[in-house]
Amino acid sequence: MTDSTMQTSAGKGRIFSGIQPTGNLHLGNYLGAIRNWVALQHDFESIYCVVDLHAITVHQDPADLRKSTREVAASLIAAGISTEQSILFNQSCVPQHAELAWIFNCVTRLGWLNRMTQFKEKAGKNRENASVGLYAYPTLMAADILTYRATHVPVGEDQKQHLELTRDIAQAFNSIYDKDVFPLPEPQIFGSATRVMSFRDGRAKMSKSDPSDNSRINMTDDADMIMQKIRKAKTDPDALPSEMAGLADRPEASNLVGIYAALAECSTDDVLAEFGGRGFGDFKPALGDLAVAKLSPIGAEMRRLLENPADIDAILADGAERAAAIARPILAEVRDIVGFLGSSTDR
Ligand code: TRP
């Protein structure tokens, strides 16, 4: 493989990552993924994608899908993704993803997909009724990444198996066609400190689908709302310990300390060094102030962006244009390797 296929012109690696278009983006999404994307964009050439093709593997109401796609794009921009330095777009606008996914469907073995734990979880008991798209979700994800020959993929722990499959698919394609076309992308798994739990139950993940809005901080919540939710968050009557060992079996307390550390960008030990011995009456207002300082400007910017949906659409269209410019020559090469005559009309 030549340098030019592996590396970008700047000599940095190339990142690709995807995020599902969902409503109710919350603190867990921010600390779990979005913030990491923002940090990484300076060290890599970064391509970030709102994965609407993946979203429809389970039915989506069309109006909701449009709304969520804009909301997720707005959250990324508001959180600091540079739409000039990085590329931000929605997946369905670059048809090379779907084209390469089909080709990958033809080199991927049924046995490999049968092992995917996310499919088993999402399909549940009624597997016969799951869509073929849900089953093939991982081959589309491999196509997302390899359409750009991305070298690094920042994802949460839950996507590790899909990344391993992506490497298997890249290797299989290279070996079947005896060509070094695709790099084997490296997963960059986010740290464990980013597991944000529900404010109602410290053992359940913070979730967009929890019926209680008080269980989460939404990215669009304003300062008053953030304060109020932190004040109401479930805790226990004890003071904070001065060491992490004292938080064992105190899931709600651990969660709030973890969130404080993540927002302050310090360790949980540092937080306990400061707040050990003090009760939640002291800690919650401090956490509230910190959360408001970090999150409310993002929420305000998101709300502002969402008032002008046409501007968001224009940003995504520009991103799609720039993404396609990278994807087209790579797909042309792949088509040629596979033996397809001619070229897709999109070129
Ligand atoms: N499956 C990922 C998730 O649910 C989203 C995703 C789609 C993705 N395509 C991707 C992540 C490519 C990384 C790279 O979180």
Side-chain angles (χ1 to χ4, degrees):
M1 190 162 336
T2 61
D3 272 3
S4 65
T5 61
M6 276 299 286
Q7 303 212 315
T8 63
S9 51
K12 310 187 272 190
R14 178 181 285 158
I15 275 185
F16 183 96
S17 199
I19 185 168
Q20 293 256 5
T22 58
N24 287 350
L25 279 173
H26 54 71
L27 183 64
N29 303 112
Y30 177 66
L31 292 176
I34 296 172
R35 195 174 65 153
N36 295 285
W37 287 15
V38 175
L40 286 166
Q41 65 182 339
H42 306 295
D43 299 329
F44 293 87
E45 179 192 352
S46 309
I47 305 174
Y48 295 131
C49 183
V50 185
V51 293
D52 50 7
L53 295 175
H54 276 114
I56 63 161
T57 56
V58 294
H59 177 71
Q60 303 292 326
D61 172 79
D64 287 349
L65 180 59
R66 265 187 285 275
K67 182 164 177 274
S68 304
T69 301
R70 290 193 182 110
E71 252 176 54
V72 170
S75 75
L76 294 171
I77 300 165
I81 298 287
S82 157
T83 55
E84 281 167 19
Q85 206 182 334
S86 305
I87 294 178
L88 175 64
F89 71 109
N90 58 309
Q91 193 183 24
S92 61
C93 286
V94 179
Q96 281 78 10
H97 293 241
E99 188 178 358
L100 187 58
W102 179 257
I103 295 172
F104 284 170
N105 279 339
C106 301
V107 302
T108 304
R109 307 290 114 192
L110 281 181
W112 301 354
L113 291 183
N114 284 339
R115 285 197 286 273
M116 295 294 114
T117 56
Q118 185 172 294
F119 174 75
K120 290 179 199 167
E121 275 162 31
K122 285 200 182 175
K125 285 206 182 71
N126 198 356
R127 203 177 289 187
E128 293 288 303
N129 210 30
S131 73
V132 174
L134 189 66
Y135 188 66
Y137 182 113
T139 59
L140 176 59
M141 185 163 156
D144 293 340
I145 297 163
L146 296 171
T147 300
Y148 303 96
R149 289 194 173 116
T151 53
H152 296 79
V153 184
V155 281
E157 186 71 34
D158 64 328
Q159 295 298 311
K160 212 169 141 186
Q161 195 185 33
H162 288 162
L163 243 292
E164 279 158 15
L165 182 80
T166 300
R167 294 166 60 92
D168 289 344
I169 292 174
Q171 208 151 28
F173 186 96
N174 289 349
S175 126
I176 289 168
Y177 291 100
D178 197 21
K179 289 265 190 321
D180 246 349
V181 213
F182 295 117
L184 306 187
E186 294 289 337
Q188 294 186 301
I189 307 294
F190 302 144
S192 55
T194 49
R195 259 180 84 80
V196 178
M197 311 307 278
S198 158
F199 281 179
R200 310 262 89 208
D201 174 1
R203 295 184 199 277
K205 260 172 94 167
M206 186 173 280
S207 160
K208 65 176 167 112
S209 46
D210 192 315
S212 164
D213 195 56
N214 282 332
S215 71
R216 63 182 163 262
I217 294 182
N218 299 305
M219 286 186 70
T220 44
D221 285 345
D222 62 17
D224 288 347
M225 191 65 112
I226 294 172
M227 272 298 189
Q228 187 187 321
K229 285 178 175 175
I230 289 177
R231 205 175 329 113
K232 285 190 182 158
K234 184 176 168 195
T235 45
D236 54 44
D238 298 340
L240 285 171
S242 7
E243 281 174 12
M244 282 305 286
L247 284 178
D249 297 325
R250 295 178 65 187
E252 284 83 16
S254 304
N255 185 37
L256 296 186
V257 169
I259 290 171
Y260 190 104
L263 288 171
E265 295 176 62
C266 68
S267 70
T268 46
D269 288 333
D270 293 339
V271 181
L272 294 182
E274 188 178 344
F275 289 97
R278 291 157 72 183
F280 286 99
D282 275 354
F283 183 64
K284 279 183 167 180
L287 176 59
D289 285 343
L290 177 62
V292 166
K294 296 278 179 178
L295 301 173
S296 71
I298 299 176
E301 177 62 4
M302 243 181 110
R303 289 191 300 274
R304 190 191 69 78
L305 288 163
L306 288 167
E307 275 169 26
N308 301 299
D311 292 355
I312 299 176
D313 298 1
I315 288 171
L316 291 175
D318 174 66
E321 199 69 50
R322 288 155 59 213
I326 301 172
R328 271 185 214 113
I330 295 174
L331 254 291
E333 197 181 324
V334 170
R335 292 176 53 89
D336 185 52
I337 288 169
V338 170
F340 291 160
L341 272 182
S343 55
S344 55
T345 51
D346 178 64
R347 286 177 65 200

PDB file of all heavy atoms in Angstrom, residues 217-230:
ATOM      1  N   ILE A 217     -30.031  14.997  31.717  1.00  0.00           N
ATOM      2  CA  ILE A 217     -29.887  16.398  31.295  1.00  0.00           C
ATOM      3  C   ILE A 217     -29.859  16.369  29.777  1.00  0.00           C
ATOM      4  O   ILE A 217     -28.981  15.739  29.167  1.00  0.00           O
ATOM      5  CB  ILE A 217     -28.591  17.024  31.835  1.00  0.00           C
ATOM      6  CG1 ILE A 217     -28.660  17.123  33.368  1.00  0.00           C
ATOM      7  CG2 ILE A 217     -28.361  18.402  31.217  1.00  0.00           C
ATOM      8  CD1 ILE A 217     -27.443  17.763  34.002  1.00  0.00           C
ATOM      9  N   ASN A 218     -30.828  16.995  29.153  1.00  0.00           N
ATOM     10  CA  ASN A 218     -30.833  17.075  27.686  1.00  0.00           C
ATOM     11  C   ASN A 218     -29.885  18.180  27.245  1.00  0.00           C
ATOM     12  O   ASN A 218     -29.711  19.177  27.955  1.00  0.00           O
ATOM     13  CB  ASN A 218     -32.240  17.395  27.187  1.00  0.00           C
ATOM     14  CG  ASN A 218     -33.237  16.320  27.570  1.00  0.00           C
ATOM     15  OD1 ASN A 218     -33.043  15.144  27.264  1.00  0.00           O
ATOM     16  ND2 ASN A 218     -34.276  16.712  28.279  1.00  0.00           N
ATOM     17  N   MET A 219     -29.313  18.007  26.063  1.00  0.00           N
ATOM     18  CA  MET A 219     -28.371  19.030  25.593  1.00  0.00           C
ATOM     19  C   MET A 219     -29.054  20.371  25.346  1.00  0.00           C
ATOM     20  O   MET A 219     -28.393  21.400  25.325  1.00  0.00           O
ATOM     21  CB  MET A 219     -27.616  18.542  24.354  1.00  0.00           C
ATOM     22  CG  MET A 219     -26.567  17.483  24.722  1.00  0.00           C
ATOM     23  SD  MET A 219     -25.544  16.996  23.333  1.00  0.00           S
ATOM     24  CE  MET A 219     -24.557  18.486  23.068  1.00  0.00           C
ATOM     25  N   THR A 220     -30.365  20.348  25.162  1.00  0.00           N
ATOM     26  CA  THR A 220     -31.078  21.614  24.941  1.00  0.00           C
ATOM     27  C   THR A 220     -31.623  22.225  26.237  1.00  0.00           C
ATOM     28  O   THR A 220     -32.239  23.297  26.200  1.00  0.00           O
ATOM     29  CB  THR A 220     -32.258  21.410  23.966  1.00  0.00           C
ATOM     30  OG1 THR A 220     -32.943  20.217  24.340  1.00  0.00           O
ATOM     31  CG2 THR A 220     -31.793  21.293  22.531  1.00  0.00           C
ATOM     32  N   ASP A 221     -31.424  21.592  27.375  1.00  0.00           N
ATOM     33  CA  ASP A 221     -31.930  22.153  28.639  1.00  0.00           C
ATOM     34  C   ASP A 221     -31.243  23.486  28.939  1.00  0.00           C
ATOM     35  O   ASP A 221     -30.035  23.637  28.731  1.00  0.00           O
ATOM     36  CB  ASP A 221     -31.671  21.188  29.808  1.00  0.00           C
ATOM     37  CG  ASP A 221     -32.617  19.986  29.796  1.00  0.00           C
ATOM     38  OD1 ASP A 221     -33.630  20.047  29.078  1.00  0.00           O
ATOM     39  OD2 ASP A 221     -32.324  19.006  30.503  1.00  0.00           O
ATOM     40  N   ASP A 222     -32.039  24.436  29.468  1.00  0.00           N
ATOM     41  CA  ASP A 222     -31.415  25.719  29.832  1.00  0.00           C
ATOM     42  C   ASP A 222     -30.880  25.653  31.266  1.00  0.00           C
ATOM     43  O   ASP A 222     -31.022  24.639  31.959  1.00  0.00           O
ATOM     44  CB  ASP A 222     -32.402  26.878  29.633  1.00  0.00           C
ATOM     45  CG  ASP A 222     -33.620  26.760  30.519  1.00  0.00           C
ATOM     46  OD1 ASP A 222     -33.575  25.989  31.508  1.00  0.00           O
ATOM     47  OD2 ASP A 222     -34.633  27.434  30.227  1.00  0.00           O
ATOM     48  N   ALA A 223     -30.257  26.742  31.699  1.00  0.00           N
ATOM     49  CA  ALA A 223     -29.565  26.759  32.987  1.00  0.00           C
ATOM     50  C   ALA A 223     -30.492  26.360  34.141  1.00  0.00           C
ATOM     51  O   ALA A 223     -30.120  25.540  34.991  1.00  0.00           O
ATOM     52  CB  ALA A 223     -28.959  28.139  33.226  1.00  0.00           C
ATOM     53  N   ASP A 224     -31.697  26.909  34.171  1.00  0.00           N
ATOM     54  CA  ASP A 224     -32.622  26.607  35.276  1.00  0.00           C
ATOM     55  C   ASP A 224     -32.963  25.123  35.323  1.00  0.00           C
ATOM     56  O   ASP A 224     -33.015  24.505  36.383  1.00  0.00           O
ATOM     57  CB  ASP A 224     -33.938  27.394  35.109  1.00  0.00           C
ATOM     58  CG  ASP A 224     -33.727  28.866  35.404  1.00  0.00           C
ATOM     59  OD1 ASP A 224     -32.660  29.201  35.970  1.00  0.00           O
ATOM     60  OD2 ASP A 224     -34.621  29.666  35.062  1.00  0.00           O
ATOM     61  N   MET A 225     -33.196  24.582  34.136  1.00  0.00           N
ATOM     62  CA  MET A 225     -33.565  23.175  34.042  1.00  0.00           C
ATOM     63  C   MET A 225     -32.419  22.281  34.514  1.00  0.00           C
ATOM     64  O   MET A 225     -32.629  21.302  35.247  1.00  0.00           O
ATOM     65  CB  MET A 225     -33.909  22.872  32.579  1.00  0.00           C
ATOM     66  CG  MET A 225     -34.545  21.552  32.357  1.00  0.00           C
ATOM     67  SD  MET A 225     -36.140  21.475  33.157  1.00  0.00           S
ATOM     68  CE  MET A 225     -37.211  21.425  31.751  1.00  0.00           C
ATOM     69  N   ILE A 226     -31.204  22.624  34.110  1.00  0.00           N
ATOM     70  CA  ILE A 226     -30.034  21.821  34.507  1.00  0.00           C
ATOM     71  C   ILE A 226     -29.903  21.823  36.038  1.00  0.00           C
ATOM     72  O   ILE A 226     -29.753  20.783  36.674  1.00  0.00           O
ATOM     73  CB  ILE A 226     -28.741  22.385  33.849  1.00  0.00           C
ATOM     74  CG1 ILE A 226     -28.812  22.210  32.323  1.00  0.00           C
ATOM     75  CG2 ILE A 226     -27.495  21.705  34.407  1.00  0.00           C
ATOM     76  CD1 ILE A 226     -27.675  22.902  31.559  1.00  0.00           C
ATOM     77  N   MET A 227     -29.986  23.023  36.614  1.00  0.00           N
ATOM     78  CA  MET A 227     -29.878  23.181  38.068  1.00  0.00           C
ATOM     79  C   MET A 227     -30.931  22.345  38.792  1.00  0.00           C
ATOM     80  O   MET A 227     -30.647  21.628  39.739  1.00  0.00           O
ATOM     81  CB  MET A 227     -30.105  24.648  38.454  1.00  0.00           C
ATOM     82  CG  MET A 227     -28.851  25.480  38.431  1.00  0.00           C
ATOM     83  SD  MET A 227     -27.707  24.801  39.652  1.00  0.00           S
ATOM     84  CE  MET A 227     -26.455  26.043  39.660  1.00  0.00           C
ATOM     85  N   GLN A 228     -32.163  22.478  38.299  1.00  0.00           N
ATOM     86  CA  GLN A 228     -33.282  21.807  38.942  1.00  0.00           C
ATOM     87  C   GLN A 228     -33.131  20.278  38.884  1.00  0.00           C
ATOM     88  O   GLN A 228     -33.386  19.585  39.868  1.00  0.00           O
ATOM     89  CB  GLN A 228     -34.546  22.237  38.199  1.00  0.00           C
ATOM     90  CG  GLN A 228     -35.827  21.786  38.819  1.00  0.00           C
ATOM     91  CD  GLN A 228     -36.998  22.134  37.895  1.00  0.00           C
ATOM     92  OE1 GLN A 228     -37.020  23.204  37.275  1.00  0.00           O
ATOM     93  NE2 GLN A 228     -37.936  21.224  37.777  1.00  0.00           N
ATOM     94  N   LYS A 229     -32.678  19.769  37.739  1.00  0.00           N
ATOM     95  CA  LYS A 229     -32.540  18.317  37.613  1.00  0.00           C
ATOM     96  C   LYS A 229     -31.428  17.785  38.515  1.00  0.00           C
ATOM     97  O   LYS A 229     -31.544  16.700  39.078  1.00  0.00           O
ATOM     98  CB  LYS A 229     -32.280  17.939  36.153  1.00  0.00           C
ATOM     99  CG  LYS A 229     -33.528  18.030  35.286  1.00  0.00           C
ATOM    100  CD  LYS A 229     -33.218  17.708  33.843  1.00  0.00           C
ATOM    101  CE  LYS A 229     -34.484  17.681  33.009  1.00  0.00           C
ATOM    102  NZ  LYS A 229     -34.167  17.471  31.573  1.00  0.00           N
ATOM    103  N   ILE A 230     -30.366  18.569  38.647  1.00  0.00           N
ATOM    104  CA  ILE A 230     -29.276  18.124  39.528  1.00  0.00           C
ATOM    105  C   ILE A 230     -29.737  18.190  40.987  1.00  0.00           C
ATOM    106  O   ILE A 230     -29.475  17.284  41.775  1.00  0.00           O
ATOM    107  CB  ILE A 230     -27.999  18.949  39.276  1.00  0.00           C
ATOM    108  CG1 ILE A 230     -27.432  18.551  37.907  1.00  0.00           C
ATOM    109  CG2 ILE A 230     -26.973  18.734  40.395  1.00  0.00           C
ATOM    110  CD1 ILE A 230     -26.210  19.316  37.468  1.00  0.00           C
TER     111      ILE A 230
END
